[in-house]
Amino acid sequence: MIQGNLRKMPAKVADGKVSYELKLGDHLVPLEQAIGQKVSLNFTGQIHCIHCGRASKKSFSQGYCYPCFKKLAACDTCIMSPEKCHYFEGTCREPDWADKYCMQSHYVYLSNTTALKVGITRGDQLPTRWLDQGATQARAMFLVENRRMSGLVETLFKSEVADKTNWRNMLKGIDVELNLEVEQERLINRLWEGLDALQNEYGLQAIQELGADNVTHEFVYPVLEYPTKITSINAEKTPLVEGTLMGIKGQYWILDTGVINLRKYTGYEAEFTL
């Protein structure tokens, strides 16, 4: 048995095949050997903030206590809506943090999570971002100068394509192959006026379309069998999560007893048994 506070599962990819580790406190457990085996994850009821470490009765914004949720830039509304960034207004909660994470280059990308999706991520977070959302295909379109600009471009594309993953379809393994290069060209042809307007306002270097060497990436997840019906497990109501681990996709465990989004319980103390 291994015990600790849960963190987002680290994921890596080699030759298109995705693998995961379970992170509990300082412990990292490779999960390849757990696929197809009986596992249990027992939530003890203890929650600790992933920033300050204090005990908390409730988790906010995937792992924070309420005081940190209210004061940290990482929990501000502009994280979910980057086009609302207020750094340039001088009202950022943590300008030094924003310099490190927001005022850096970002990608705007297309992904296939059973349907076409537009998204954004910091320049050093590929392919991690794609793996976290369970994308089977992904392709970066633009490199932009900061997080706010990525949000402005994403908002433009949201008029034509979704920006959310249908997690139920993703966990059913619905396989719809897309030509993301063709989709990219189609969308840019429809939205070029809006892109030109952003470049005219912020400068040509603010939005750079990636060149001919850009490629579409494809990913295969460690899943033995997808469920036909999705039964979601709530660790608050069912603290002992157990069953045969049929696969992992995104940040979800797919068990023969249901599915659970482990990222939702970041900061929760749990005991893992294989």
Side-chain angles (χ1 to χ4, degrees):
M1 184 184 72
I2 297 173
Q3 181 174 338
N5 290 96
L6 194 63
R7 295 292 188 271
K8 182 172 77 75
M9 286 186 293
K12 58 185 177 181
V13 61
D15 297 324
K17 294 182 178 180
V18 183
S19 61
Y20 291 92
E21 294 174 306
L22 179 66
K23 185 170 176 59
L24 286 173
D26 295 328
H27 302 286
L28 275 175
V29 184
L31 291 173
E32 292 97 329
Q33 61 184 2
I35 305 296
Q37 304 298 315
K38 291 283 187 180
V39 299
S40 71
L41 196 61
N42 184 32
F43 289 85
T44 68
Q46 299 295 314
I47 306 173
H48 291 88
C49 176
I50 61 174
H51 179 75
C52 71
R54 68 161 57 92
S56 178
K57 292 183 179 180
K58 186 178 179 180
S59 175
F60 297 85
S61 193
Q62 295 182 330
Y64 298 92
C65 64
Y66 187 72
C68 286
F69 170 70
K70 294 297 290 183
K71 74 178 182 181
L72 295 178
C75 300
D76 205 346
T77 54
C78 53
I79 295 301
M80 295 302 295
S81 301
E83 70 277 7
K84 298 179 181 178
C85 171
H86 47 97
Y87 177 95
F88 297 101
E89 298 174 8
T91 55
C92 181
R93 293 179 178 182
E94 296 178 279
D96 289 343
W97 184 91
D99 285 337
K100 184 176 181 181
Y101 293 102
C102 300
M103 305 310 294
Q104 302 295 327
S105 62
H106 279 62
Y107 287 107
V108 181
Y109 63 82
L110 292 177
S111 64
N112 179 3
T113 57
T114 72
L116 188 64
K117 174 188 175 299
V118 64
I120 66 170
T121 193
R122 200 169 66 244
D124 60 355
Q125 287 298 298
L126 294 183
T128 300
R129 177 62 175 160
W130 297 334
L131 305 182
D132 284 348
Q133 61 186 213
T136 53
Q137 296 174 285
R139 178 183 180 87
M141 293 189 294
F142 302 102
L143 182 66
V144 302
E145 61 182 3
N146 56 48
R147 184 174 177 82
R148 179 171 182 262
M149 183 57 61
S150 71
L152 293 173
V153 176
E154 182 187 40
T155 298
L156 184 66
F157 275 75
K158 283 195 294 186
S159 65
E160 298 287 337
V161 63
D163 67 326
K164 305 294 183 187
T165 296
N166 185 324
W167 64 272
R168 290 182 179 275
N169 284 346
M170 184 267 289
L171 292 177
K172 289 180 180 178
I174 296 174
D175 189 13
V176 179
E177 187 169 352
L178 300 172
N179 188 324
L180 296 187
E181 184 176 4
V182 170
E183 293 293 340
Q184 175 180 332
E185 183 177 359
R186 176 181 68 84
L187 290 167
I188 290 176
N189 285 338
R190 290 182 66 88
L191 299 169
W192 67 267
E193 289 182 342
L195 291 168
D196 277 357
L198 288 174
Q199 287 184 316
N200 288 335
E201 182 175 356
Y202 296 100
L204 291 176
Q205 296 303 312
I207 307 171
Q208 301 178 51
E209 185 177 356
L210 298 181
D213 58 344
N214 188 29
V215 298
T216 295
H217 301 266
E218 298 189 353
F219 308 107
V220 177
Y221 292 86
V223 179
L224 295 179
E225 184 178 333
Y226 287 101
T228 56
K229 180 181 179 182
I230 300 298
T231 301
S232 184
I233 299 172
N234 184 338
E236 296 279 4
K237 298 178 179 179
T238 309
L240 179 58
V241 178
E242 57 185 350
T244 299
L245 185 59
M246 304 305 294
I248 308 172
K249 193 174 185 182
Q251 286 290 313
Y252 286 84
W253 276 11
I254 302 171
L255 301 157
D256 63 349
T257 53
V259 302
I260 182 169
N261 180 1
L262 290 193
R263 191 168 188 178
K264 179 180 179 181
Y265 302 102
T266 302
Y268 286 59
E269 185 182 66
E271 301 164 344
F272 173 70
T273 304
L274 173 60

